[in-house]
Amino acid sequence: MNDDGLDPLIHVPTRLKIVATLAALPDGDTLSFTRLQDMLELTPGNLIIQLRKLEEADYISSEKTRNGSVQKTTVALTKQGREALGAYTQALRNLLGGL
Amino acid sequence: MNHPPDTAAAGNGGTFDPRQAAALLNQTTQQARRKFQPSPPWLLATRAVLVLAALGAIWLSVRGQHPYRGPTAADIPVLIGFIVLNFTATVAVRRRATAGVTGRSRFSQGEIMVLVAAFVATVVAMTALGVAGVSFAWSPTTVLVIPGLAWAAISAARANWVEFGIGLAIAALGVAGAFAGPAGSWAVAAVGLCAVLLGNAAAIVWQQRA
């Protein structure tokens, strides 16, 4: 954690947007990589890098499927990821409430 | 959980102020909820106005009929046009909202079958009531009862209590219309459905801002 109690994995604009977007879906729902990229207006390369970091921490899960020659990747926020976002949100409230 | 510090803490270098983070979190959450919403408030409000106009126009057309003969030849295209427009817009908006999404955000095969069965059952029930000579058999509100209950049941299974209430309200409209007479049921449908749709829109706006 940072000195201010904010999870440094989430406390990055791009990753914060990724986690917040996935959290807007019901628990268990997945989102395609293409739709996420379109919503966040990121380049594929940048999105892949950020997703990898979140997946290494088990905040998101990803699944690759193949339909003929087309590969499709879907991502979802894990239970740990939702809890981490909840903790991050609370830490923000505590921090800003004290300012 | 401890994580190694990110060398691009702000995404493009520099520090990421907590106030900026809070604003970004709030903005992103609101935008995502809006984009994933299969029945956005603007669609519901538009539908409310159109249903009031279409069914209200038919009520104005039939209220002076003694005896009641039902919608005139001029009314039928209005009704069909509204049904087709409503269905097309609903499917298009829902498809765009759920693009790339898999899971509970989409209707399951079972839920689709329940909805289709509800409409088939409605036609069967209304036909049976008509054959039996029941006065409200072909009232516009009669068609709302079984689909309203089906929607309530599906919503309850999903623990979506706002939509559960909407389903019950629609079914209740169906029952209320039976007491309004054949001409009056058009007014009940027009005003009642308009109110339900506007209430649904307001509930979604409130949920999205919560």
Side-chain angles (χ1 to χ4, degrees):
Chain A
M1 290 292 164
N2 286 342
D3 289 344
D4 48 18
L6 296 173
D7 186 337
L9 198 60
I10 296 178
H11 194 57
V12 171
T14 308
R15 291 200 290 266
L16 177 57
K17 286 169 70 175
I18 291 170
V19 172
T21 298
L22 293 176
L25 287 170
D27 201 8
D29 277 18
T30 65
L31 185 65
S32 69
F33 177 93
T34 311
R35 178 80 192 274
L36 182 61
Q37 184 202 337
D38 181 57
M39 287 177 73
L40 299 180
E41 297 178 341
L42 295 172
T43 62
N46 191 5
L47 182 56
I48 287 170
I49 290 169
Q50 304 304 336
L51 288 176
R52 196 170 290 150
K53 289 185 176 167
L54 291 167
E55 193 168 9
E56 284 168 3
D58 201 28
Y59 283 6
I60 67 161
S61 61
S62 69
E63 187 180 346
K64 290 182 175 56
T65 55
R66 189 171 283 277
N67 187 4
S69 61
V70 177
Q71 180 168 288
K72 185 179 164 186
T73 302
T74 56
V75 294
L77 201 60
T78 61
K79 181 168 177 282
Q80 188 167 339
R82 282 187 194 270
E83 289 171 356
L85 180 61
Y88 176 82
T89 305
Q90 188 57 50
L92 267 183
R93 284 201 193 103
N94 294 341
L95 195 63
L96 296 175
L99 289 177
Chain B
M1 177 178 293
N2 289 320
H3 300 285
D6 198 301
T7 54
N12 293 313
T15 58
F16 187 26
D17 182 81
R19 287 190 190 88
Q20 288 177 310
L24 183 61
L25 175 59
N26 188 47
Q27 179 190 32
T28 305
T29 300
Q30 302 277 354
Q31 281 179 351
R33 284 177 180 170
R34 275 198 299 273
K35 288 183 178 179
F36 290 139
Q37 175 56 252
S39 295
W42 65 264
L43 180 65
L44 292 169
T46 304
R47 195 185 291 162
V49 170
L50 289 177
V51 81
L52 184 66
L55 300 188
I58 295 176
W59 172 67
L60 289 172
S61 166
V62 304
R63 64 178 178 160
Q65 292 178 352
H66 299 290
Y68 174 80
R69 293 180 298 281
T72 65
D75 295 329
I76 302 299
V78 170
L79 191 57
I80 293 175
F82 167 73
I83 291 171
V84 169
L85 183 65
N86 182 42
F87 182 78
T88 305
T90 299
V91 168
V93 170
R94 176 170 278 272
R95 189 169 284 175
R96 190 171 68 183
T98 58
V101 180
T102 52
R104 288 171 59 81
S105 297
R106 290 182 169 274
F107 285 132
S108 67
Q109 290 281 28
E111 288 169 333
I112 293 172
M113 285 174 57
V114 166
L115 290 171
V116 170
F119 280 100
V120 170
T122 296
V123 173
V124 170
M126 289 172 77
T127 303
L129 288 172
V131 167
V134 174
S135 64
F136 54 81
W138 295 108
S139 292
T141 45
T142 305
V143 77
L144 301 175
V145 178
I146 297 176
L149 290 174
W151 187 251
I154 289 171
S155 301
R158 285 169 161 256
N160 186 335
W161 303 113
V162 170
E163 293 300 321
F164 171 74
I166 297 294
L168 285 187
I170 290 174
L173 267 181
V175 173
F179 298 97
S185 62
W186 288 101
V188 170
V191 174
L193 285 174
C194 179
V196 168
L197 288 165
L198 289 177
N200 195 3
I204 290 172
V205 169
W206 179 77
Q207 276 181 333
Q208 284 180 346
R209 289 184 178 168

